[in-house]
Amino acid sequence: MSDEVLVEESGEGSGAEGSGRVAILTINRPKSRNAVNGAVARGIADALDALDARPDISAYVLTGAGGTFSAGMDLKGFLSGDFPVVEGRGFGGLTESPPKKPLVAAVEGYALAGGFELALACDVIVASSEAKFGLPEPKRGLVAAAGGIMRLPRRIPYHVAMEIALTGDHYPAARLYELGLVNRITEPGAALEGALELARKIAANAPLALAATKQVVIESQDWSLAEMFGKQGAIVNPVFGSKDAMEGAAAFAEKRAPQWKGE
């Protein structure tokens, strides 16, 4: 893809022979604490476009090189007119249009500003015990407009989200774990390993079912009681008629691992 974003495939999903693989996307600007510039945004968008089209990839992990996740937008690039936004996908090639497949963030070091917003665009967050999160944009005369101030109060209590957004301070992973925003805490240096363990467990499941489940969880937040089952049905009914659904039932009856085809 690009030198700024490295893509690697990692192993089979655990627990099911022939299950989907996991792709690791690594922001590769360690000297800049993985600050997101235009090249990073385009690299992430291009990688997701290519991987979304592959039926053998069932889940993703997003991480950063050199012991930090991302310090956010590259402000030097911003001053020179290098905007880290991709049309249709938003900041970092991700925040406005996350992939259909499950995405796990593996956070070491700092996930600040746009870096925190990238993590918030993921479905699951695994963080090192030394990781720190924050939205310091107000300290720089900016606003966390890449989803941070919209997603955060939907994930944690309102007043805590307000404190994080308005102070711009750094918050430890342990505090966000207590609030339910971080799924798992690992030893320092082990966030990627922990994220891969979880991503492989996810990838062992049927890809069509994973995509439909993610879509319903995200979109149903705005559905009314009167419409929610109808809208859910439009998304999940095709899954029940899929070859994978028949395979899942057959594998259970035959006491063997399923062979998913994404069909």
mmCIF file of all heavy atoms in Angstrom, residues 31-69:
data_model
loop_
_atom_site.group_PDB
_atom_site.id
_atom_site.type_symbol
_atom_site.label_atom_id
_atom_site.label_comp_id
_atom_site.label_asym_id
_atom_site.label_seq_id
_atom_site.Cartn_x
_atom_site.Cartn_y
_atom_site.Cartn_z
ATOM 1 N N LYS A 31 8.601 8.389 14.160
ATOM 2 C CA LYS A 31 9.349 9.591 14.524
ATOM 3 C C LYS A 31 8.420 10.778 14.766
ATOM 4 O O LYS A 31 8.802 11.740 15.443
ATOM 5 C CB LYS A 31 10.365 9.923 13.433
ATOM 6 C CG LYS A 31 11.496 8.902 13.326
ATOM 7 C CD LYS A 31 12.502 9.296 12.257
ATOM 8 C CE LYS A 31 13.631 8.283 12.167
ATOM 9 N NZ LYS A 31 14.618 8.641 11.115
ATOM 10 N N SER A 32 7.213 10.717 14.215
ATOM 11 C CA SER A 32 6.217 11.777 14.408
ATOM 12 C C SER A 32 5.104 11.322 15.341
ATOM 13 O O SER A 32 4.011 11.886 15.333
ATOM 14 C CB SER A 32 5.621 12.187 13.059
ATOM 15 O OG SER A 32 6.613 12.643 12.175
ATOM 16 N N ARG A 33 5.390 10.301 16.143
ATOM 17 C CA ARG A 33 4.390 9.692 17.036
ATOM 18 C C ARG A 33 3.134 9.308 16.259
ATOM 19 O O ARG A 33 2.016 9.418 16.725
ATOM 20 C CB ARG A 33 4.051 10.623 18.204
ATOM 21 C CG ARG A 33 5.207 10.813 19.179
ATOM 22 C CD ARG A 33 4.746 11.285 20.535
ATOM 23 N NE ARG A 33 3.990 12.532 20.459
ATOM 24 C CZ ARG A 33 3.361 13.077 21.492
ATOM 25 N NH1 ARG A 33 3.386 12.489 22.673
ATOM 26 N NH2 ARG A 33 2.714 14.208 21.363
ATOM 27 N N ASN A 34 3.371 8.867 15.012
ATOM 28 C CA ASN A 34 2.296 8.396 14.133
ATOM 29 C C ASN A 34 1.215 9.454 13.910
ATOM 30 O O ASN A 34 0.021 9.134 13.790
ATOM 31 C CB ASN A 34 1.699 7.099 14.677
ATOM 32 C CG ASN A 34 2.724 5.991 14.697
ATOM 33 O OD1 ASN A 34 3.524 5.839 13.777
ATOM 34 N ND2 ASN A 34 2.733 5.209 15.766
ATOM 35 N N ALA A 35 1.648 10.705 13.850
ATOM 36 C CA ALA A 35 0.718 11.780 13.505
ATOM 37 C C ALA A 35 0.151 11.518 12.112
ATOM 38 O O ALA A 35 0.858 11.070 11.204
ATOM 39 C CB ALA A 35 1.435 13.125 13.542
ATOM 40 N N VAL A 36 -1.118 11.789 11.950
ATOM 41 C CA VAL A 36 -1.821 11.447 10.717
ATOM 42 C C VAL A 36 -1.714 12.581 9.714
ATOM 43 O O VAL A 36 -2.185 13.698 9.950
ATOM 44 C CB VAL A 36 -3.306 11.140 11.009
ATOM 45 C CG1 VAL A 36 -4.049 10.783 9.726
ATOM 46 C CG2 VAL A 36 -3.418 10.008 12.021
ATOM 47 N N ASN A 37 -1.093 12.287 8.578
ATOM 48 C CA ASN A 37 -1.044 13.245 7.475
ATOM 49 C C ASN A 37 -1.852 12.701 6.302
ATOM 50 O O ASN A 37 -2.521 11.657 6.423
ATOM 51 C CB ASN A 37 0.407 13.528 7.067
ATOM 52 C CG ASN A 37 1.140 12.271 6.615
ATOM 53 O OD1 ASN A 37 0.561 11.197 6.481
ATOM 54 N ND2 ASN A 37 2.436 12.406 6.385
ATOM 55 N N GLY A 38 -1.779 13.371 5.174
ATOM 56 C CA GLY A 38 -2.552 12.938 4.027
ATOM 57 C C GLY A 38 -2.176 11.550 3.548
ATOM 58 O O GLY A 38 -3.040 10.763 3.154
ATOM 59 N N ALA A 39 -0.883 11.231 3.589
ATOM 60 C CA ALA A 39 -0.430 9.919 3.142
ATOM 61 C C ALA A 39 -0.981 8.806 4.029
ATOM 62 O O ALA A 39 -1.357 7.729 3.540
ATOM 63 C CB ALA A 39 1.094 9.880 3.114
ATOM 64 N N VAL A 40 -1.025 9.040 5.338
ATOM 65 C CA VAL A 40 -1.587 8.051 6.247
ATOM 66 C C VAL A 40 -3.079 7.860 5.963
ATOM 67 O O VAL A 40 -3.569 6.725 5.888
ATOM 68 C CB VAL A 40 -1.372 8.453 7.717
ATOM 69 C CG1 VAL A 40 -2.200 7.572 8.657
ATOM 70 C CG2 VAL A 40 0.100 8.377 8.085
ATOM 71 N N ALA A 41 -3.793 8.964 5.813
ATOM 72 C CA ALA A 41 -5.229 8.878 5.544
ATOM 73 C C ALA A 41 -5.506 8.097 4.267
ATOM 74 O O ALA A 41 -6.372 7.213 4.230
ATOM 75 C CB ALA A 41 -5.828 10.280 5.456
ATOM 76 N N ARG A 42 -4.763 8.414 3.224
ATOM 77 C CA ARG A 42 -4.965 7.698 1.953
ATOM 78 C C ARG A 42 -4.552 6.240 2.069
ATOM 79 O O ARG A 42 -5.191 5.347 1.496
ATOM 80 C CB ARG A 42 -4.188 8.390 0.836
ATOM 81 C CG ARG A 42 -4.744 9.767 0.463
ATOM 82 C CD ARG A 42 -4.048 10.338 -0.753
ATOM 83 N NE ARG A 42 -2.631 10.634 -0.503
ATOM 84 C CZ ARG A 42 -2.178 11.777 -0.010
ATOM 85 N NH1 ARG A 42 -3.031 12.739 0.331
ATOM 86 N NH2 ARG A 42 -0.882 11.973 0.177
ATOM 87 N N GLY A 43 -3.486 5.980 2.837
ATOM 88 C CA GLY A 43 -3.033 4.610 3.020
ATOM 89 C C GLY A 43 -4.058 3.753 3.737
ATOM 90 O O GLY A 43 -4.306 2.603 3.354
ATOM 91 N N ILE A 44 -4.679 4.299 4.791
ATOM 92 C CA ILE A 44 -5.709 3.557 5.514
ATOM 93 C C ILE A 44 -6.920 3.329 4.622
ATOM 94 O O ILE A 44 -7.465 2.219 4.552
ATOM 95 C CB ILE A 44 -6.112 4.293 6.803
ATOM 96 C CG1 ILE A 44 -4.957 4.254 7.814
ATOM 97 C CG2 ILE A 44 -7.371 3.675 7.414
ATOM 98 C CD1 ILE A 44 -5.214 5.041 9.083
ATOM 99 N N ALA A 45 -7.349 4.373 3.912
ATOM 100 C CA ALA A 45 -8.509 4.239 3.033
ATOM 101 C C ALA A 45 -8.261 3.208 1.938
ATOM 102 O O ALA A 45 -9.128 2.362 1.660
ATOM 103 C CB ALA A 45 -8.859 5.592 2.420
ATOM 104 N N ASP A 46 -7.101 3.256 1.314
ATOM 105 C CA ASP A 46 -6.778 2.302 0.245
ATOM 106 C C ASP A 46 -6.725 0.879 0.783
ATOM 107 O O ASP A 46 -7.197 -0.066 0.132
ATOM 108 C CB ASP A 46 -5.441 2.661 -0.406
ATOM 109 C CG ASP A 46 -5.509 3.922 -1.243
ATOM 110 O OD1 ASP A 46 -6.626 4.383 -1.551
ATOM 111 O OD2 ASP A 46 -4.431 4.469 -1.583
ATOM 112 N N ALA A 47 -6.131 0.722 1.965
ATOM 113 C CA ALA A 47 -6.036 -0.615 2.557
ATOM 114 C C ALA A 47 -7.420 -1.171 2.859
ATOM 115 O O ALA A 47 -7.713 -2.341 2.561
ATOM 116 C CB ALA A 47 -5.193 -0.563 3.827
ATOM 117 N N LEU A 48 -8.284 -0.352 3.447
ATOM 118 C CA LEU A 48 -9.630 -0.820 3.780
ATOM 119 C C LEU A 48 -10.438 -1.137 2.531
ATOM 120 O O LEU A 48 -11.192 -2.115 2.496
ATOM 121 C CB LEU A 48 -10.350 0.212 4.643
ATOM 122 C CG LEU A 48 -9.790 0.400 6.055
ATOM 123 C CD1 LEU A 48 -10.535 1.501 6.787
ATOM 124 C CD2 LEU A 48 -9.858 -0.907 6.845
ATOM 125 N N ASP A 49 -10.291 -0.316 1.486
ATOM 126 C CA ASP A 49 -11.001 -0.598 0.231
ATOM 127 C C ASP A 49 -10.587 -1.961 -0.327
ATOM 128 O O ASP A 49 -11.429 -2.736 -0.783
ATOM 129 C CB ASP A 49 -10.710 0.490 -0.800
ATOM 130 C CG ASP A 49 -11.443 1.792 -0.511
ATOM 131 O OD1 ASP A 49 -12.419 1.757 0.261
ATOM 132 O OD2 ASP A 49 -11.040 2.832 -1.054
ATOM 133 N N ALA A 50 -9.276 -2.236 -0.304
ATOM 134 C CA ALA A 50 -8.777 -3.503 -0.840
ATOM 135 C C ALA A 50 -9.196 -4.679 0.035
ATOM 136 O O ALA A 50 -9.629 -5.730 -0.460
ATOM 137 C CB ALA A 50 -7.260 -3.451 -0.973
ATOM 138 N N LEU A 51 -9.098 -4.508 1.350
ATOM 139 C CA LEU A 51 -9.394 -5.613 2.266
ATOM 140 C C LEU A 51 -10.883 -5.892 2.388
ATOM 141 O O LEU A 51 -11.294 -7.041 2.573
ATOM 142 C CB LEU A 51 -8.802 -5.310 3.644
ATOM 143 C CG LEU A 51 -7.275 -5.274 3.710
ATOM 144 C CD1 LEU A 51 -6.824 -4.663 5.028
ATOM 145 C CD2 LEU A 51 -6.692 -6.675 3.545
ATOM 146 N N ASP A 52 -11.708 -4.846 2.290
ATOM 147 C CA ASP A 52 -13.157 -5.043 2.366
ATOM 148 C C ASP A 52 -13.656 -5.943 1.242
ATOM 149 O O ASP A 52 -14.687 -6.606 1.380
ATOM 150 C CB ASP A 52 -13.882 -3.693 2.299
ATOM 151 C CG ASP A 52 -14.023 -3.037 3.661
ATOM 152 O OD1 ASP A 52 -13.755 -3.709 4.672
ATOM 153 O OD2 ASP A 52 -14.399 -1.852 3.712
ATOM 154 N N ALA A 53 -12.932 -5.951 0.127
ATOM 155 C CA ALA A 53 -13.351 -6.741 -1.034
ATOM 156 C C ALA A 53 -12.883 -8.194 -0.960
ATOM 157 O O ALA A 53 -13.238 -8.999 -1.826
ATOM 158 C CB ALA A 53 -12.815 -6.092 -2.316
ATOM 159 N N ARG A 54 -12.125 -8.526 0.061
ATOM 160 C CA ARG A 54 -11.569 -9.879 0.166
ATOM 161 C C ARG A 54 -12.368 -10.754 1.133
ATOM 162 O O ARG A 54 -12.440 -10.457 2.325
ATOM 163 C CB ARG A 54 -10.108 -9.809 0.622
ATOM 164 C CG ARG A 54 -9.175 -9.266 -0.429
ATOM 165 C CD ARG A 54 -7.751 -9.263 0.063
ATOM 166 N NE ARG A 54 -7.340 -10.572 0.585
ATOM 167 C CZ ARG A 54 -6.122 -10.809 1.092
ATOM 168 N NH1 ARG A 54 -5.235 -9.832 1.161
ATOM 169 N NH2 ARG A 54 -5.825 -12.012 1.538
ATOM 170 N N PRO A 55 -12.969 -11.826 0.638
ATOM 171 C CA PRO A 55 -13.769 -12.685 1.519
ATOM 172 C C PRO A 55 -12.941 -13.474 2.524
ATOM 173 O O PRO A 55 -13.488 -13.998 3.497
ATOM 174 C CB PRO A 55 -14.467 -13.634 0.528
ATOM 175 C CG PRO A 55 -13.596 -13.640 -0.679
ATOM 176 C CD PRO A 55 -13.006 -12.270 -0.769
ATOM 177 N N ASP A 56 -11.615 -13.574 2.310
ATOM 178 C CA ASP A 56 -10.776 -14.345 3.226
ATOM 179 C C ASP A 56 -10.280 -13.525 4.406
ATOM 180 O O ASP A 56 -9.623 -14.059 5.299
ATOM 181 C CB ASP A 56 -9.580 -14.934 2.480
ATOM 182 C CG ASP A 56 -8.704 -13.861 1.837
ATOM 183 O OD1 ASP A 56 -9.259 -12.857 1.348
ATOM 184 O OD2 ASP A 56 -7.474 -14.035 1.813
ATOM 185 N N ILE A 57 -10.580 -12.228 4.427
ATOM 186 C CA ILE A 57 -10.231 -11.362 5.561
ATOM 187 C C ILE A 57 -11.509 -11.045 6.327
ATOM 188 O O ILE A 57 -12.455 -10.501 5.764
ATOM 189 C CB ILE A 57 -9.560 -10.057 5.089
ATOM 190 C CG1 ILE A 57 -8.268 -10.348 4.334
ATOM 191 C CG2 ILE A 57 -9.295 -9.145 6.284
ATOM 192 C CD1 ILE A 57 -7.167 -10.958 5.175
ATOM 193 N N SER A 58 -11.541 -11.381 7.607
ATOM 194 C CA SER A 58 -12.780 -11.240 8.382
ATOM 195 C C SER A 58 -12.745 -10.156 9.445
ATOM 196 O O SER A 58 -13.791 -9.751 9.950
ATOM 197 C CB SER A 58 -13.127 -12.572 9.058
ATOM 198 O OG SER A 58 -13.432 -13.550 8.089
ATOM 199 N N ALA A 59 -11.550 -9.693 9.814
ATOM 200 C CA ALA A 59 -11.454 -8.665 10.852
ATOM 201 C C ALA A 59 -10.124 -7.938 10.696
ATOM 202 O O ALA A 59 -9.191 -8.441 10.062
ATOM 203 C CB ALA A 59 -11.549 -9.290 12.243
ATOM 204 N N TYR A 60 -10.060 -6.741 11.293
ATOM 205 C CA TYR A 60 -8.869 -5.901 11.188
ATOM 206 C C TYR A 60 -8.394 -5.485 12.575
ATOM 207 O O TYR A 60 -9.187 -5.376 13.516
ATOM 208 C CB TYR A 60 -9.163 -4.610 10.403
ATOM 209 C CG TYR A 60 -9.857 -4.790 9.082
ATOM 210 C CD1 TYR A 60 -10.982 -4.028 8.770
ATOM 211 C CD2 TYR A 60 -9.403 -5.708 8.139
ATOM 212 C CE1 TYR A 60 -11.621 -4.168 7.548
ATOM 213 C CE2 TYR A 60 -10.035 -5.852 6.921
ATOM 214 C CZ TYR A 60 -11.150 -5.089 6.627
ATOM 215 O OH TYR A 60 -11.780 -5.237 5.416
ATOM 216 N N VAL A 61 -7.095 -5.213 12.650
ATOM 217 C CA VAL A 61 -6.515 -4.564 13.822
ATOM 218 C C VAL A 61 -5.809 -3.302 13.341
ATOM 219 O O VAL A 61 -5.062 -3.334 12.367
ATOM 220 C CB VAL A 61 -5.500 -5.477 14.548
ATOM 221 C CG1 VAL A 61 -4.755 -4.692 15.627
ATOM 222 C CG2 VAL A 61 -6.206 -6.684 15.162
ATOM 223 N N LEU A 62 -6.066 -2.189 14.014
ATOM 224 C CA LEU A 62 -5.393 -0.925 13.704
ATOM 225 C C LEU A 62 -4.457 -0.588 14.847
ATOM 226 O O LEU A 62 -4.871 -0.547 16.012
ATOM 227 C CB LEU A 62 -6.416 0.199 13.522
ATOM 228 C CG LEU A 62 -5.841 1.594 13.229
ATOM 229 C CD1 LEU A 62 -5.115 1.614 11.884
ATOM 230 C CD2 LEU A 62 -6.948 2.647 13.256
ATOM 231 N N THR A 63 -3.188 -0.320 14.531
ATOM 232 C CA THR A 63 -2.211 -0.002 15.566
ATOM 233 C C THR A 63 -1.209 1.011 15.036
ATOM 234 O O THR A 63 -1.336 1.486 13.906
ATOM 235 C CB THR A 63 -1.503 -1.286 16.064
ATOM 236 O OG1 THR A 63 -0.771 -1.003 17.235
ATOM 237 C CG2 THR A 63 -0.596 -1.868 14.991
ATOM 238 N N GLY A 64 -0.225 1.356 15.869
ATOM 239 C CA GLY A 64 0.799 2.312 15.464
ATOM 240 C C GLY A 64 2.183 1.746 15.720
ATOM 241 O O GLY A 64 2.372 0.938 16.636
ATOM 242 N N ALA A 65 3.143 2.165 14.933
ATOM 243 C CA ALA A 65 4.519 1.677 15.076
ATOM 244 C C ALA A 65 5.249 2.441 16.185
ATOM 245 O O ALA A 65 4.883 3.567 16.530
ATOM 246 C CB ALA A 65 5.264 1.847 13.750
ATOM 247 N N GLY A 66 6.285 1.800 16.736
ATOM 248 C CA GLY A 66 7.178 2.501 17.645
ATOM 249 C C GLY A 66 6.647 2.774 19.032
ATOM 250 O O GLY A 66 7.121 3.687 19.719
ATOM 251 N N GLY A 67 5.648 2.014 19.481
ATOM 252 C CA GLY A 67 5.200 2.151 20.863
ATOM 253 C C GLY A 67 4.176 3.230 21.137
ATOM 254 O O GLY A 67 3.926 3.556 22.295
ATOM 255 N N THR A 68 3.581 3.797 20.089
ATOM 256 C CA THR A 68 2.471 4.732 20.308
ATOM 257 C C THR A 68 1.424 4.516 19.228
ATOM 258 O O THR A 68 1.746 4.072 18.114
ATOM 259 C CB THR A 68 2.944 6.195 20.315
ATOM 260 O OG1 THR A 68 1.925 7.029 20.877
ATOM 261 C CG2 THR A 68 3.263 6.688 18.916
ATOM 262 N N PHE A 69 0.177 4.783 19.563
ATOM 263 C CA PHE A 69 -0.920 4.590 18.608
ATOM 264 C C PHE A 69 -0.927 5.740 17.605
ATOM 265 O O PHE A 69 -0.583 5.576 16.451
ATOM 266 C CB PHE A 69 -2.245 4.499 19.360
ATOM 267 C CG PHE A 69 -3.426 4.170 18.481
ATOM 268 C CD1 PHE A 69 -3.573 2.895 17.954
ATOM 269 C CD2 PHE A 69 -4.396 5.127 18.204
ATOM 270 C CE1 PHE A 69 -4.672 2.581 17.151
ATOM 271 C CE2 PHE A 69 -5.497 4.826 17.411
ATOM 272 C CZ PHE A 69 -5.637 3.559 16.885
#
